[in-house]
Amino acid sequence: MSLGKRFLRRPTVQRVLGRLAAAYLGLVRATNRFQVHAAGANPGGADAWLDARLPVIAGMWHGQHIMMPFMRRPGDRVATIISKNPDGNINTIALERLGVRVIRASGARGRNRASDTRAKGGAEGFRAMLRALKAGESVAFSADVPKVSRRCDAGILTLARFSGRPIIPAAVVTSRHLRFKSWDRACLGLPFGRGAIVLGDPIFVPRDCADDAFEALRRFVEAEMNRVHARAYALVGRADRAALYREAAPLAAPATVGDAA
């Protein structure tokens, strides 16, 4: 391990950096003029729209994860999952200061969850997220396949399938931002601009959904995630430069989109 990495893993250093990160994000939130759009909601009606659907699984692309705490309203109960790797400590400190409860475990990834979760502790994280949703907490969940930007993984659908709670495709963007050259093209908002929070239609995953139906729904969630991001960037007058996903024809909405019967 390099000297720099050892320094960054010192608990005192991580606490300071985590607090600074939370303070900076608070500044970005306070100095950007945000507008919130929810699918089908009247202008200004996003709060009531979301309240009627809680708890939800807020699906985010990994590159936007830095910005997602801006979705949380005062009083909202929100949890997210971060790896137990020491590199996740700074994010954990920042998120907790912003009111997000952090679950330290690996998420359930892919369709072959049995083998993957035994190796990475994903079963532990999956059970913790199910418990959170059952207790009325919303869960913010990165939907990407690991190291593959904007390719929807099956994990978020599996969580929706077993919890019975809807996936809400979500995007949070600002007109002024920094774009990193990481695999996920992570985006960090800058102060003194305009912001947009866009929430898509709720997507339910039936308990018996499998095989071709599951894959069709996975592709639809992916397309909806891309759509809400394009909408959010359009609202702030910027191009979505991280849109490196494969272009595809729009998919028809399955019957599982919208409120549960």
Side-chain angles (χ1 to χ4, degrees):
M1 185 187 301
S2 68
L3 179 62
K5 197 161 191 176
R6 287 201 299 271
F7 176 76
L8 289 175
R9 286 190 174 183
R10 295 180 63 179
T12 301
V13 173
Q14 291 186 330
R15 282 196 298 272
V16 171
L17 292 177
R19 291 171 181 174
L20 286 174
Y24 175 77
L25 290 173
L27 174 67
V28 174
R29 182 68 178 91
T31 57
N32 278 273
R33 302 184 304 277
F34 274 90
Q35 51 182 313
V36 183
H37 288 250
N42 295 324
D47 283 339
W49 182 94
L50 187 56
D51 287 340
R53 290 158 177 81
L54 295 176
V56 302
I57 303 166
M60 56 184 175
W61 285 143
H62 197 278
Q64 296 291 326
H65 63 284
I66 301 172
M67 307 291 290
M68 292 306 287
F70 295 172
M71 277 186 58
R72 180 184 173 274
R73 304 166 300 173
D76 278 348
R77 297 172 57 214
V78 181
T80 194
I81 190 165
I82 292 180
S83 168
K84 291 181 177 180
N85 188 298
D87 292 338
N89 292 344
I90 296 172
N91 285 342
T92 296
I93 294 165
L95 287 170
E96 288 178 342
R97 291 183 71 85
L98 293 168
V100 178
R101 187 173 73 86
V102 174
I103 300 166
R104 298 303 298 270
S106 298
R109 315 302 300 182
R111 297 187 70 172
N112 186 17
R113 194 166 54 86
S115 60
D116 181 66
T117 54
R118 279 196 299 270
K120 297 184 179 180
E124 176 189 356
F126 185 77
R127 288 194 298 268
M129 288 186 288
L130 284 176
R131 288 194 297 270
L133 290 163
K134 186 176 181 180
E137 269 186 303
S138 292
V139 170
F141 195 97
S142 294
D144 313 60
V145 171
K147 303 298 182 182
V148 182
S149 179
R150 300 196 178 192
R151 171 72 174 176
C152 184
D153 185 79
I156 190 169
L157 277 82
T158 303
L159 181 61
R161 177 186 175 196
F162 282 94
S163 68
R165 303 313 305 161
I167 299 167
I168 302 291
V172 181
V173 306
T174 53
S175 58
R176 302 182 68 248
H177 54 262
L178 296 176
R179 180 78 63 185
F180 298 101
K181 293 183 179 180
S182 54
W183 68 268
D184 56 5
R185 297 300 189 267
C187 189
L188 176 63
L190 296 173
F192 309 113
R194 290 172 291 126
I197 299 172
V198 178
L199 308 175
D201 283 311
I203 302 172
F204 291 85
V205 182
R207 191 64 178 253
D208 60 353
C209 186
D211 302 325
D212 290 345
F214 188 94
E215 173 59 16
L217 197 52
R218 185 203 65 77
R219 291 175 58 234
F220 182 75
V221 171
E222 182 176 293
E224 284 297 285
M225 295 278 292
N226 291 332
R227 185 184 66 79
V228 299
H229 276 77
R231 172 64 173 155
Y233 276 103
L235 287 171
V236 298
R238 294 291 185 269
D240 183 5
R241 299 197 311 273
L244 304 178
Y245 50 85
R246 181 180 64 254
E247 293 290 343
L251 300 177
T256 48
V257 177
D259 293 332

